[in-house]
Amino acid sequence: MALTPSAASIGEAEANAALIVRAVNSHAELVAAVSRVAAALLNAGAALAGDLEDGAAAIEKQDYKTARRLITPLAQKNNRDAQRIMGFMYMYELGLPQDYVKAYMWWSLAAAKGDGKSGEYRDTVAKMLSKEQIADAKKRASDCVARKFKGCD
């Protein structure tokens, strides 16, 4: 059942997402910010169900192995919310090795599905990448789409 998002819950999701883009002082603060984003997305009525909800809960519990197991297949099925979370996981080393190129790739894929915030995150991480790295990330995203998301991680 789709929920109707309220302006307040969407605003809360956006405000919490902004916390992640800014530098944080500790891993605990980062985890709390990611958890708030996941919770706000759920409260905003995003089409998140089952494994995505469980993956967000695993992030909140800092069980990144479970989060990766649940979120990755959804991202590979072209779920933009899962793709956004994958970007966070790569950007902030949440159960995955820190990889700005992969964060850019996942946020690009989510942005291509209409997720404006992922486009903002992609543009922010782009400032940390060389032109060659951006070209690599774009190629990875293109290859991922061409392979129908098989082998994208």
Side-chain angles (χ1 to χ4, degrees):
M1 168 176 69
L3 301 174
T4 303
S6 70
S9 62
I10 291 172
E12 178 184 328
E14 291 174 352
N16 287 324
L19 293 173
I20 293 175
V21 175
R22 292 192 307 244
V24 292
N25 294 324
S26 72
H27 187 267
E29 288 178 21
L30 174 63
V31 169
V34 170
S35 297
R36 286 192 302 270
V37 168
L41 284 171
L42 292 171
N43 291 335
L48 306 176
D51 287 348
L52 194 55
E53 289 175 344
D54 293 343
I59 289 172
E60 188 171 346
K61 295 176 190 170
Q62 299 181 28
D63 181 0
Y64 303 123
K65 182 178 180 180
T66 298
R68 180 180 182 184
R69 180 179 55 79
L70 295 170
I71 299 296
T72 300
L74 295 174
Q76 292 174 340
K77 290 179 181 169
N78 206 15
N79 178 300
R80 77 179 193 179
D81 296 312
Q83 290 168 345
R84 182 194 290 196
I85 292 170
M86 289 293 290
F88 287 132
M89 293 179 77
Y90 276 112
M91 180 75 181
Y92 296 106
E93 201 172 353
L94 301 176
L96 295 166
Q98 189 172 51
D99 189 327
Y100 297 152
V101 171
K102 287 185 179 180
Y104 183 105
M105 178 195 82
W106 283 114
W107 284 330
S108 290
L109 292 167
K113 297 267 304 173
D115 185 358
K117 284 295 177 184
S118 286
E120 291 176 27
Y121 303 142
R122 176 203 57 217
D123 295 345
T124 299
V125 77
K127 296 173 186 171
M128 295 184 271
L129 299 174
S130 69
K131 289 179 182 179
E132 293 80 14
Q133 289 173 309
I134 292 171
D136 180 35
K138 288 178 178 180
K139 182 176 181 340
R140 287 180 190 212
S142 176
D143 290 348
C144 189
V145 171
R147 289 191 314 267
K148 297 185 177 162
F149 298 90
K150 301 292 184 228
C152 302
D153 64 358

